[in-house]
Amino acid sequence: SETISSPSGVNTSWVSAYSRLAWEFNVELAKEAIKEFGFNEIQFDYVRFPEASYGYSKDNYNFKNNYNEEKAQAIQNFLMYATDEIHKLNAYVSADVFGECSNTYVTAYGQYWPAISNVVDVISSMPYPDHFAKGAYGLSIPWEHPYELMYNWAKGAVKRQTEIPTPAIARTWITAY
């Protein structure tokens, strides 16, 4: 893992999404949950790079990118590996992504909706109504209009799914604070 400073200056550790050792560990843990506890679906949460990677440069953080992958490639490659292994045990794979991924590619996080939805069985987007910027979807204060916000957001998510020949099932996870 790499210790990084968040925009608030707080140090945190984050396992690199480039790490094949982390991939193997997480997939083996998932396989154990299927075999030992009978899970029929594994959801990968926080399959992404940290927020602090918005300012990412090789001088700031060493995510140990030994395979010279773009962030989105690393996320997709991990999910392809995990899905292949978990499907061998007749279980489903889901992954969650930030809600804004329904509009654009969130480069700092490496979450690219089409690349994820094309690999997993279920994609769970997490639109946090209180996280949308003022003016999002034409709403001056989006979180004060949750129905309109989620309706307009959902239209974008549906559009993203049409870009993919074999999209995952979309299962939205709305979170608000």
Side-chain angles (χ1 to χ4, degrees), residues 98-176:
F98 282 138
E100 65 261 37
C101 294
S102 66
N103 281 336
T104 59
Y105 167 41
V106 183
T107 53
Y109 303 135
Q111 293 185 331
Y112 183 52
W113 183 294
I116 294 171
S117 183
N118 196 46
V119 173
V120 298
D121 301 302
V122 178
I123 188 168
S124 295
S125 182
M126 303 181 306
Y128 292 56
D130 57 325
H131 284 39
F132 283 86
K134 289 182 178 182
Y137 299 106
L139 302 168
S140 59
I141 303 175
W143 52 90
E144 289 183 356
H145 305 278
Y147 176 81
E148 293 85 354
L149 176 64
M150 291 296 94
Y151 178 79
N152 289 322
W153 170 85
K155 288 193 303 188
V158 168
K159 185 177 183 303
R160 292 312 306 256
Q161 289 288 80
T162 66
E163 299 172 19
I164 307 158
T166 56
I169 294 168
R171 180 174 57 207
T172 303
W173 179 332
I174 300 172
T175 306

Side-chain angles (χ1 to χ4, degrees), residues 10-117:
V10 175
N11 286 336
T12 185
S13 293
W14 197 278
V15 175
S16 175
Y18 296 121
S19 171
R20 292 338 191 235
L21 185 60
W23 291 13
E24 291 171 7
F25 178 82
N26 286 321
V27 169
E28 287 304 313
L29 188 61
K31 289 165 53 176
E32 185 176 326
I34 294 164
K35 292 175 189 174
E36 300 296 323
F37 302 106
F39 285 89
N40 70 350
E41 179 181 335
I42 301 297
Q43 178 166 345
F44 289 101
D45 186 22
Y46 271 73
V47 182
R48 64 176 184 85
F49 287 84
E51 289 177 42
S53 63
Y54 267 110
Y56 169 76
S57 76
K58 291 181 181 176
D59 297 331
N60 296 346
Y61 314 119
N62 181 3
F63 286 117
K64 299 174 180 70
N65 184 0
N66 297 330
Y67 299 91
N68 200 29
E69 297 166 303
E70 295 295 325
K71 289 179 181 178
Q73 287 176 304
I75 301 301
Q76 185 184 44
N77 287 340
F78 164 69
L79 290 170
M80 286 191 297
Y81 165 68
T83 300
D84 286 347
E85 291 295 308
I86 291 167
H87 279 178
K88 290 176 186 174
L89 299 175
N90 297 313
Y92 299 102
V93 176
S94 59
D96 59 50
V97 297
F98 282 138
E100 65 261 37
C101 294
S102 66
N103 281 336
T104 59
Y105 167 41
V106 183
T107 53
Y109 303 135
Q111 293 185 331
Y112 183 52
W113 183 294
I116 294 171
S117 183

